[in-house]
Amino acid sequence: MTIGNLFRGLRADKRWKLDEAARRSGISRSALSRIELGQQGIAVDQVEILCEAFGISMARLFALLEAGQSTGGDLSVVNFRALSFPDPEYPRLPPGDTPDRGEPDPDRGEL
């Protein structure tokens, strides 16, 4: 199993189309597709951004990746774990929200 397979499985669990995952993460639809298919590598900052969008910590992501590898790539096991055990380290975003990347927001008086 690759990290791209895992992101595809997480996206399927949420019933998100590529467009929705792209909107929530800020990573282009075509780049996400290539990452999921293993046609493009993924940088650590992109992994972090996707983890934010999916509402899981990087530690949880790698635990899920390891679990998928130990089951021969059986995504049903990974999807079950992702759905059944919410990540306590990472709060879920309300539908339609995007993760805060820490940029200053002038509307909130941040410079």
Side-chain angles (χ1 to χ4, degrees):
M1 169 185 293
T2 67
I3 199 163
N5 296 131
L6 181 55
F7 280 125
R8 176 180 262 178
L10 291 171
R11 183 173 60 78
D13 280 345
K14 291 189 175 288
R15 293 180 163 70
W16 289 354
K17 302 280 187 197
L18 274 169
D19 291 330
E20 180 65 14
R23 185 185 71 75
R24 289 176 179 255
S25 68
I27 297 173
S28 75
R29 182 186 188 283
S30 60
L32 286 175
S33 177
R34 289 190 307 270
I35 289 167
E36 287 183 1
L37 295 171
Q39 297 172 345
Q40 174 178 322
I42 184 166
V44 173
D45 63 328
Q46 290 176 312
V47 172
E48 185 175 32
I49 288 167
L50 286 170
C51 284
E52 288 178 14
F54 285 110
I56 63 172
S57 65
M58 287 181 67
R60 178 62 175 251
L61 176 81
F62 288 108
L64 292 171
L65 184 59
E66 185 177 337
Q69 289 174 339
S70 68
T71 60
D74 182 0
L75 283 177
S76 64
V77 174
V78 174
N79 292 344
F80 175 78
R81 288 180 180 171
L83 289 173
S84 299
F85 304 104
D87 190 342
E89 297 177 33
Y90 217 95
R92 298 215 180 261
L93 296 173
D97 271 4
T98 56
D100 180 13
R101 303 248 191 290
E103 294 97 1
D105 184 353
D107 294 332
R108 293 188 302 206
E110 300 172 350
L111 299 176

